[in-house]
Amino acid sequence: MRVVIVGGVAGGMSAATRLRRLNEEAEIVVIEKSGFVSYANCGLPYYVGGVIEEEGNLLLQTPESLHARFRLDVRVSSEVISVDAMSKTLVVRSGSGEYELTYDKLILSPGAAPIVPPIPGVERAMTLRTVEDVDRIVKKVAAQPRTAAVIGGGFIGVEIAENLVHRGIKTSIIEATAQVLAPLDPEMAAPVHLELRKHGIDLHLSSAATNIGSADVTLADGTRVEADIVILAIGVRPETTLAKNAGIDIGPRGGINVDQFNRTSNEDIYAIGDAAEKTDALDGSATLVPLANIANRHGRVVADHICGREIRDVKTIGTAIVKVFDLTVATTGWNEKRLTAAGVACTSIHTHPNSHAGYYPDAKPMTLKLIFDPKSGEIFGAQGVGIDGVDKRIDVIATAIRGDITAPELADLELAYAPPFGSAKDPVNMLGFIAENVMSGLLTTVQWNDVANLEAAGYTLLDVRSASEFAAGAIPHAVNIPVDELRSRSHELGGKKLAVYCQVGQRGHTATLLLQELGFAVVNLDGGYQLWNSVQQEGK
């Protein structure tokens, strides 16, 4: 049996090596368009910034090492230019010549191509997808440009911008939407914007690039952004040319349509990685998630199916993480924006816990957001932003989503605890406690973006922080009575409807329950003053 794999890196090489482990006799041929078949493309931005000092550290395997260990026939700098599905034949271009290659099973792993907008001067911009791309960028950076513009504020755009700053280059991010990192909801993106600006990055939000000149980029609002170098990081589009030409079905999201075995509409052709559509775990719809861990799993699934092994049908929840200078930013599942647009009823809660016990040195704050079904408690998604400890909390919640654990049941998880690592009530447990309180009707919460309408609805804003905290900054028109004085001063509130807040929500929760016991109609501001204030900083 001859298996031909078009494309290496994560998906293609996972398929190839898994196939060999399962079948010593199969002939396995890997055709790779670039000169490198196995490399850590997620590390490319950090090589630009000098964080990863040697390019060789990104090169995981070579054709020679893969042949020595796995007896793989790896052909780099070779491009499959056509597929004849009827005759099971490929045409491969290598150097100045072409040749035909037959297959029994074909695995398409061509990845995705960077989106290049049709704007004047775009040929001066560079993309970052391959080792060849990073070599071009590094060569430009070595010439010591003074300014750079990154068009696109997604994961790659933010990463490359940070690394250009590490090289001492004055850098701007140009993003057509109102925020960077689209998987985040606006209030969670706000501290990321502050972090980027703190490190000298100029953010140009809600304005698209319309022209790339010799030394600048012009935006839709007329702004001219200085740019000795320009990097496109708008996003990627599934590479489907071969599949289309072979008569293979393309899915509704523009990727190659596959079944649970990653098999295409042709039973002898599979598609994996960024080129293939995935199935969303929440609603079963087709989705595109260009992440390396999913591509690796695809490769294993296809190899197992070809070799007759049982396959688990696994849908995607889109868990991702990115470093933004001193911050860790992570997401899993759907965000509130997407749920609202889809008409899905959801409840959100925010917390601001420490990474570990506050009395142990170097505890760092974070902000967590959990989104769930207000009736069933099904967890729809979560987001986290902070300096330390965000990754493991989002990973726990991603695991909970996979295991059908509900939001209140997060309180029941037994998570490892010692003061240097966490708290007796872990931040994940606390999210569960709060979700249980909200779902049970013990208290009612309102969100940061409800504040403007509270007064119109007849509510008095009650700040239960200390007098010194209140003096340092408060929500306009709020009344201040510290939580410890509420019992003796509750008569000052009369029969008013109250919207209570503190710094992060904990004292507000205590005050809310007390005031309810005293007969007041009261709601608690979820996430407290800290969350509300972080969003207000965007306009300053």
Side-chain angles (χ1 to χ4, degrees):
M1 178 176 64
R2 176 185 287 168
V3 179
V4 176
I5 302 170
V6 181
V9 200
M13 295 319 302
S14 289
T17 53
R18 176 70 170 173
L19 271 169
R20 177 56 74 222
R21 292 186 183 101
L22 298 176
N23 187 332
E24 178 61 23
E25 301 304 318
E27 182 183 358
I28 304 169
V29 182
V30 181
I31 310 294
E32 169 56 42
K33 182 178 179 180
S34 78
F36 303 89
V37 71
S38 180
Y39 59 90
N41 55 356
C42 295
L44 296 180
Y46 301 100
Y47 176 58
V48 173
V51 177
I52 297 173
E53 297 181 355
E54 299 295 331
E55 185 178 67
N57 292 335
L58 298 172
L59 307 180
L60 306 178
Q61 296 284 352
T62 66
E64 294 75 20
S65 66
L66 289 165
H67 186 269
R69 180 167 299 180
F70 297 105
R71 199 160 54 86
L72 301 178
D73 181 358
V74 178
R75 308 177 189 184
V76 296
S77 301
S78 300
E79 181 181 5
V80 176
I81 58 175
S82 67
V83 176
D84 187 331
M86 293 294 292
S87 64
K88 293 188 176 183
T89 303
L90 309 172
V91 175
V92 182
R93 178 180 296 148
S94 180
S96 58
E98 297 179 0
Y99 63 89
E100 287 191 350
L101 181 67
T102 60
Y103 65 86
D104 296 299
K105 299 291 183 182
L106 176 64
I107 302 173
L108 298 177
S109 181
I115 295 173
V116 179
I119 60 175
V122 74
E123 63 277 0
R124 188 168 79 84
M126 297 176 288
T127 58
L128 180 57
R129 188 72 178 168
T130 66
V131 175
E132 288 85 354
D133 290 339
V134 82
D135 285 340
R136 284 190 288 271
I137 294 173
V138 167
K139 185 177 179 180
K140 288 281 189 181
V141 168
Q144 298 183 325
R146 188 176 59 85
T147 58
V150 178
I151 302 177
F155 284 70
I156 297 300
V158 167
E159 285 179 338
I160 192 62
E162 175 182 340
N163 281 280
L164 290 170
V165 169
H166 287 328
R167 288 295 193 185
I169 302 170
K170 177 64 177 174
T171 302
S172 300
I173 293 178
I174 299 166
E175 169 56 49
T177 67
Q179 67 171 76
V180 300
L181 303 180
L184 294 179
D185 286 312
E187 76 278 18
M188 300 298 287
V192 180
H193 293 167
L194 291 174
E195 182 75 4
L196 291 167
R197 289 176 174 129
K198 184 177 80 173
H199 287 86
I201 290 180
D202 289 333
L203 290 182
H204 298 272
L205 304 175
S206 301
S207 191
T210 58
N211 184 81
I212 299 175
S214 60
D216 61 19
V217 177
T218 302
L219 309 185
D221 62 6
T223 301
R224 297 171 76 91
V225 179
E226 289 187 59
D228 296 325
I229 62 174
V230 179
I231 296 177
L232 293 177
I234 297 172
V236 295
R237 182 177 290 117
E239 184 54 75
T240 59
T241 303
L242 281 177
K244 288 177 180 177
N245 292 342
I248 292 171
D249 291 347
I250 303 301
R253 295 298 304 278
I256 302 172
N257 191 29
V258 295
D259 62 14
Q260 68 267 36
F261 312 118
N262 278 86
R263 187 173 50 191
T264 70
S265 54
N266 184 302
E267 65 177 13
D268 293 316
I269 301 178
Y270 298 79
I272 61 178
D274 295 356
E277 292 190 346
K278 293 82 180 170
T279 301
D280 190 279
L282 182 60
D283 67 353
S285 64
T287 186
L288 297 172
V289 184
L291 295 173
N293 56 356
I294 297 176
N296 277 305
R297 170 154 178 76
H298 278 182
R300 182 183 178 94
V301 164
V302 167
D304 284 2
H305 190 254
I306 289 173
C307 293
R309 295 179 62 83
E310 186 175 346
I311 306 298
R312 292 188 303 277
D313 183 15
V314 178
K315 299 176 175 61
T316 182
I317 57 176
T319 306
I321 192 167
V322 64
K323 175 183 175 296
V324 185
F325 292 101
D326 295 327
L327 291 182
T328 301
V329 182
T331 70
T332 188
W334 284 31
N335 59 27
E336 189 176 354
K337 293 180 296 186
R338 184 176 177 187
L339 289 161
T340 301
V344 179
C346 63
T347 295
S348 296
I349 56 177
H350 301 78
T351 60
H352 306 282
N354 284 324
S355 55
H356 58 250
Y359 57 81
Y360 189 87
D362 295 325
K364 300 294 192 299
M366 71 180 84
T367 298
L368 297 176
K369 177 175 185 176
L370 184 73
I371 314 165
F372 55 93
D373 187 297
K375 293 184 178 179
S376 70
E378 176 189 357
I379 300 173
F380 293 144
Q383 299 158 44
V385 178
I387 296 172
D388 188 30
V390 169
D391 52 344
K392 70 176 181 178
R393 272 69 189 210
I394 294 299
D395 281 345
V396 168
I397 297 170
T399 304
I401 294 174
R402 178 67 66 204
D404 293 326
I405 294 172
T406 66
E409 288 171 339
L410 294 177
D412 306 329
L413 298 180
E414 297 183 41
L415 303 174
Y417 160 63
F421 306 105
S423 301
K425 295 178 182 177
D426 189 85
V428 173
N429 297 140
M430 291 304 299
L431 289 169
F433 292 137
I434 297 169
E436 186 173 42
N437 287 339
V438 172
M439 288 183 63
S440 68
L442 182 63
L443 81 168
T444 301
T445 59
V446 292
Q447 292 299 312
W448 61 274
N449 52 358
D450 294 325
V451 169
N453 299 320
L454 286 172
E455 285 185 286
Y459 282 87
T460 295
L461 284 166
L462 176 61
D463 187 322
V464 298
R465 299 175 299 162
S466 68
S468 60
E469 289 176 290
F470 182 76
I475 299 176
H477 309 125
V479 174
N480 178 224
I481 301 178
V483 62
D484 294 338
E485 301 175 17
L486 273 178
R487 287 181 179 86
S488 61
R489 296 178 59 185
S490 62
H491 63 276
E492 299 177 24
L493 298 171
K496 299 173 181 175
K497 293 193 298 183
L498 302 173
V500 172
Y501 74 89
C502 64
Q503 186 66 18
V504 298
Q506 186 174 3
R507 284 173 289 175
H509 170 66
T510 299
T512 297
L513 295 184
L514 170 60
L515 289 165
Q516 285 181 172
E517 288 292 313
L518 295 175
F520 287 91
V522 56
V523 296
N524 185 27
L525 179 59
D526 176 68
Y529 177 76
Q530 182 171 317
L531 182 67
W532 177 87
N533 188 52
S534 70
V535 179
Q536 310 313 305
Q537 300 305 310
E538 281 288 277
K540 296 181 179 179

